[in-house]
Structures are given as structure tokens and as C-alpha cells.
Amino acid sequence: MNTRAWIVFLDESGVSLLPQVCRTYAPRGRTPLLRHRLNWKRASMAGALGHHAADPDQGPRLCFHLKPGSYDTPALIEVLEQVKVFYRGERVVLVWDGLSAHWSRAMRAWVAEQDWLTLERLPAYATELNPVELLWSSLKKRELANLAGDHPGTLRVDELGGLAP
């Protein structure tokens, strides 16, 4: 394929919004208690990391989507509609894994109507080929670990949602 397009890797991941304690400085034998005011038990994240194939000077682009519950085909179509707006009509080659919602009849029918989008499938069990997996690993092990309370910098449920550049 010889085209001017964005190569975009997309992946979803689930997280628990209840804080996990990875490390603490509490005295031995005194387990700390993290207090939180989060309503959701689980949330799902979708991340799309793009790089322009023909013009590397444009730099990478990251868009992010959060929602309660899990992703299904209609939710992923909504995410792709937002990706379309994010890339403002430019051509996109979307690379993602073999999740059944990615390749359902409804998804394939929707994609067939899109002239801006081409889908490519990652091989099974090849998480090292999707750079968004590294983002999930970093978020879960560093950024979201021990996050609790109402201190400045804590994300609240009402702040979450939508794709943002």
C-alpha cells in the first residue's frame, strides 16, 4: 500500500477504579487503608496511538477514551467515530488485535462504509507488536497504583470520558 496515511494502533484494557497498593512506607505490620470515593468498580480504556507513515514531522498522536463497563461493537464504533473526527478526514490504517468485537459482522459492515479507514489485524498473542500495550502497563503499574483520596491531581469520575488529543 503506497498511500499517505496515519498508522494507528488501537487497544482496549479494563481497570479497577478501586486503588491497588503496590508499595507503601507504612511501618511493618500496619497495613495502610486507602480511602476513595469512586462509584465505578470497573472501567475500560481505549487508546489509539498514531504515526504518520509519509510525514514523520507531524509527530505521534494519542487519543484516549474511558467508559464504565466494557467495550462491545457499538461502543467501539462510537470510539472509531471519534477517531474519525480526531484525524479530520485523513486516511487511517488501523491496526488492532483479534477481539471478537473488532471483527463482528456489524463492525465489518460499518467499516465497509468508511472511505477513510483500512483495518489490519495483529497476529494472535503478539502484544509486543502493539505499542498501546506499553501504555497500559505503565498506567497500571505506576500511574494508577496507590491513587486514592481527594487530593489535587486525583481524577474524579465526572472528569473522565471522551477522546482528547
Side-chain angles (χ1 to χ4, degrees):
M1 176 187 310
N2 188 8
T3 184
R4 296 183 53 86
W6 285 88
I7 299 172
V8 177
F9 291 87
L10 191 139
D11 193 43
E12 310 82 20
S13 183
V15 292
S16 171
L17 290 180
L18 301 178
Q20 297 177 356
V21 178
C22 289
R23 292 185 183 164
T24 69
Y25 293 105
R28 187 176 297 254
R30 292 188 177 163
T31 303
L33 178 62
L34 296 180
R35 300 191 188 281
H36 55 83
R37 296 182 183 184
L38 300 171
N39 299 357
W40 296 345
K41 299 294 185 220
R42 297 213 30 97
S44 292
M45 311 178 289
L49 181 61
H51 179 76
H52 200 280
D55 188 4
D57 292 336
Q58 291 201 39
R61 290 185 182 175
L62 174 65
C63 40
F64 201 71
H65 186 270
L66 294 167
K67 72 180 285 314
S70 59
Y71 284 100
D72 56 7
T73 298
L76 286 171
I77 288 174
E78 179 182 317
V79 170
L80 291 178
E81 288 283 1
Q82 292 180 21
V83 168
K84 180 180 181 178
V85 172
F86 186 78
Y87 283 97
R88 294 178 184 89
E90 296 187 62
R91 296 208 37 86
V92 170
V93 176
L94 186 74
V95 182
W96 59 6
D97 56 27
L99 182 71
S100 60
H102 294 172
W103 303 100
S104 67
R105 285 185 183 144
M107 180 64 76
R108 289 191 313 248
W110 182 84
V111 169
E113 298 171 359
Q114 310 303 311
D115 60 348
W116 61 277
L117 183 63
T118 304
L119 295 183
E120 294 294 333
R121 188 176 191 157
L122 286 169
Y125 306 110
T127 57
E128 69 278 1
L129 297 179
N130 191 339
V132 181
E133 294 284 356
L134 297 172
L135 173 65
W136 300 150
S137 176
S138 178
L139 278 175
K140 290 178 180 183
K141 290 181 182 172
R142 295 185 192 127
E143 303 302 325
L144 293 178
N146 296 329
L147 181 64
D150 282 337
H151 57 82
T154 299
L155 288 177
R156 294 185 185 37
V157 173
D158 57 352
E159 296 174 1
L160 302 177
L163 277 172

